Amino acid sequence: MIQFEHVVKRYGKNTILHDLNFTIPDGQFVVLIGPSGCGKTTSLKMINRLIEPDEGRILIDGEDYAGKNPVNLRRHIGYVIQQIGLFPNMTVAQNISVVPRLLGQDKAACDKKVHELLEMVDLPYEQYAHKYPNELSGGQQQRIGVLRALAASPPIVLMDEPFGALDPMTREVLQDEVKRLQRKLHKTIVFVTHDMGEALKMADIIIFMNGGQIEQMAPPEKMLEAPASDLVRSFLGKHQLSDSNPLYVEDFMRTNPYTVDFHRGVLECAEKMARSGVDTLLVTDDDDHYLGTVSIRDIKLKGREAGSIEPLISTEVRTVCLGDDAQESVNYLLTSGESYVVVLRPDQTVAGIITKNSMAKVVANTLWGDDK
Amino acid sequence: MKISLIWEHLYMVFWAVVFSLMAGLPLGVLTYFYPKARKAILWVVDLFQTIPSLALLGIIMVFLGAGKVTVITGLTLYSLLPIVRNTYLGLREVDPALKEAARGMGMSRGYQLLHVELPLASPVIFTGIRIAAVNAVGTAVFAIFVGGGGLGSMLYNGIRIQNMSMILKGTGVLMLMAILFDFGMGRVEVFLNRKTAGKSRVSAGYAD
């Protein structure tokens, strides 16, 4: 258990942490997040006393280590940093063995530990133990960085933006791996990040900090459900699927649908449909007001005698107006079997259409991010 | 030309470099550890370099008498600057992330110095030693004026009896010696660089 009690930190006149109070229970994956300069890294480094508080105390399992030699404390707290920080003059095995050696374990015990840990992340001992860090990829290096932190089986592991410098694919893999290791080994992990996606994925508890204070401390689910402030909400951003900000039809709409002027002839219409690969067109009048739709089926059935599309205009397709709640239209499309809804501006001109496709795209973007 | 002159010369250079390393390395570490001492130490070792070498040897001779001890003492003081400065620079330039990792993992200050900082600073420190050695080869020529012998006597005698071939021989040997030192120790530097950068198959003398 890690307890912060009235912790204050100042650098000159700047107060970095204002009376910080929180408790991290054992075995929890706690993520510190917030805008840069919010004090998250400072808080983290106070746990292993790389930074000392100006006021207040930090208790680890009820014990205040202030005033004692920090070296011993640090050997029992794993530490992973963003820059990885593997010692380039030592092999993988030597790097992993650093803390066990500091604790006086003999070579055989260290070697056994190295075997065991490398096996856990599927890096064969024979192939990797005697390599030097710069012979490994960034992802492999940070894997070793994590193993190095775990080598002496510390109950607590601190991670300071450990995956910040990795490419997105590698980051995903390592996130999964660390989460898996944490579940398996029941470590208390304190993890700093500025990536809300990472926080939501990894955390049991998220501590959202701002300006040296805690804005909100909650499990991810709770934070998504009820963000404590606008700042938290903006950080949650795309990850949030709550009804607190309703979605409007324009959020689901595809703009620039195919339209046709009602004076046009049927053949021209049919040709345009074929060219654009659609089976209906939206019909507008001279002032671009929406009149209805015309479909290829009607043209085939009655087009010959009509000549112009005007008699073929159908007004059966449902129309909605910009600013309408999207839920109704979405439900309609999902249940009616119709393929689209027309969205009109207040002046009855066409703004766009909602199709099942455009809906699916929005949902996908919300879930996995907007990759253009 | 007597081989013994070369040995005499090398003998003085060798011990001067050894002693200046013994003094300079701890001084370099001190300048790195204690910012307050830094200016004072660097100023003093810098000062030794500004004294003309012949004058420095003369001053020391007043205290220690003529002979090799005087020469070695003078050369030692003279070699301090590159060694102290490069030790300090080498330690300072070690990646801060590695220093933080070492500290955060619970290394004591001394352990961190011995196992992380000095090994990683070793190429830069060795550059300092190389500069010191190459300088000392040249400066040791003045040994002849304070009774130290060495290749300086060849030059001195050559000038006195106006024997050009003698002067050239002595100069040639000195130049060769300096070049060999520079080259040989440069190879060691390459080796150290590769070692600290963590290349698996380190082999001295081959850089690619």
Side-chain angles (χ1 to χ4, degrees), chain A residues 91-94 96-97 110-131 136 140-141 143-145 147-148 150-151 177 180-181:
Chain A
T91 61
V92 165
Q94 286 169 333
I96 294 176
S97 307
C110 290
D111 218 41
K112 189 164 158 265
K113 195 78 203 174
V114 172
H115 259 285
E116 200 180 296
L117 288 167
L118 283 174
E119 207 165 280
M120 246 178 356
V121 295
D122 291 323
L123 295 172
Y125 178 91
E126 289 70 26
Q127 200 180 337
Y128 287 99
H130 301 296
K131 283 203 164 156
L136 306 176
Q140 288 170 335
Q141 285 186 27
R143 250 188 212 107
I144 304 302
L147 296 186
R148 183 173 69 168
L150 294 172
E177 223 156 63
R180 185 171 57 80
L181 287 174

Side-chain angles (χ1 to χ4, degrees), chain A residues 15-253:
Chain A
T15 309
I16 304 295
L17 299 177
H18 299 268
D19 191 31
L20 204 59
N21 291 288
F22 61 84
T23 300
I24 295 172
D26 282 340
Q28 296 287 302
F29 200 119
V30 176
V31 174
L32 293 168
I33 192 169
S36 42
C38 70
K40 51 188 193 288
T41 298
T42 306
S43 305
L44 182 91
K45 288 184 180 175
M46 278 183 170
I47 298 173
N48 66 357
R49 293 187 53 206
L50 286 173
I51 297 175
E52 303 279 359
D54 289 326
E55 284 171 34
R57 347 184 265 165
I58 294 156
L59 306 178
I60 293 167
D61 291 330
E63 196 173 341
D64 186 2
Y65 284 86
K68 294 179 190 163
N69 189 355
V71 162
N72 202 39
L73 174 75
R74 291 184 190 137
R75 291 177 186 173
H76 294 94
I77 296 179
Y79 189 44
V80 184
I81 59 176
Q82 179 178 3
Q83 306 89 329
I84 303 173
L86 293 180
F87 303 120
N89 54 328
M90 303 182 192
T91 61
V92 165
Q94 286 169 333
N95 265 290
I96 294 176
S97 307
V98 165
V99 183
R101 290 309 285 270
L102 284 169
L103 291 169
Q105 294 178 18
D106 62 26
K107 223 175 160 334
C110 290
D111 218 41
K112 189 164 158 265
K113 195 78 203 174
V114 172
H115 259 285
E116 200 180 296
L117 288 167
L118 283 174
E119 207 165 280
M120 246 178 356
V121 295
D122 291 323
L123 295 172
Y125 178 91
E126 289 70 26
Q127 200 180 337
Y128 287 99
H130 301 296
K131 283 203 164 156
Y132 283 91
N134 73 354
E135 297 173 303
L136 306 176
S137 70
Q140 288 170 335
Q141 285 186 27
Q142 191 58 298
R143 250 188 212 107
I144 304 302
V146 172
L147 296 186
R148 183 173 69 168
L150 294 172
S153 311
I156 299 170
V157 179
L158 309 179
M159 299 190 170
D160 187 5
E161 300 200 32
F163 312 136
L166 304 175
D167 63 274
M169 283 273 269
T170 314
R171 194 183 309 153
E172 287 276 321
V173 174
L174 271 154
Q175 284 168 350
D176 293 337
E177 223 156 63
V178 165
K179 190 71 196 164
R180 185 171 57 80
L181 287 174
Q182 191 257 344
R183 287 212 184 102
K184 193 172 155 194
L185 305 170
H186 307 292
K187 304 285 178 198
T188 306
I189 295 187
V190 186
F191 188 108
V192 166
T193 182
H194 57 260
D195 175 358
M196 191 47 111
E198 190 168 65
L200 292 168
K201 177 175 175 180
M202 310 286 280
D204 297 318
I205 300 170
I206 299 177
I207 300 180
F208 193 104
M209 293 182 66
N210 184 31
Q213 284 168 317
I214 293 181
E215 195 100 351
Q216 186 173 16
M217 178 168 172
E221 197 66 15
K222 281 261 164 56
M223 193 168 276
L224 282 167
E225 222 173 270
S229 66
D230 286 340
L231 184 68
V232 179
R233 186 170 294 126
S234 79
F235 254 72
L236 288 166
K238 66 184 183 197
H239 302 288
Q240 202 181 16
L241 278 170
S242 85
D243 48 16
S244 55
N245 29 349
L247 292 164
Y248 302 111
V249 285
E250 50 264 45
D251 295 324
F252 289 95
M253 172 177 90

Side-chain angles (χ1 to χ4, degrees), chain A residues 255-276:
Chain A
T255 52
N256 300 322
Y258 298 105
T259 59
V260 64
D261 190 278
F262 77 109
H263 295 304
R264 300 287 168 180
V266 283
L267 291 177
E268 198 182 339
C269 245
E271 192 269 337
K272 184 167 186 175
M273 285 180 196
R275 191 156 29 90
S276 328

Side-chain angles (χ1 to χ4, degrees), chain B residues 38-53:
Chain B
R38 179 172 312 151
K39 268 204 174 138
I41 295 173
L42 289 176
W43 184 77
V44 170
V45 296
D46 216 10
L47 194 69
F48 284 131
Q49 289 260 308
T50 60
I51 306 172
S53 26

Side-chain angles (χ1 to χ4, degrees), chain A residues 1-14:
Chain A
M1 194 165 63
I2 305 167
Q3 288 163 283
F4 275 59
E5 288 184 351
H6 305 290
V7 172
V8 175
K9 181 70 194 177
R10 297 184 199 91
Y11 286 118
K13 277 185 187 160
N14 290 337

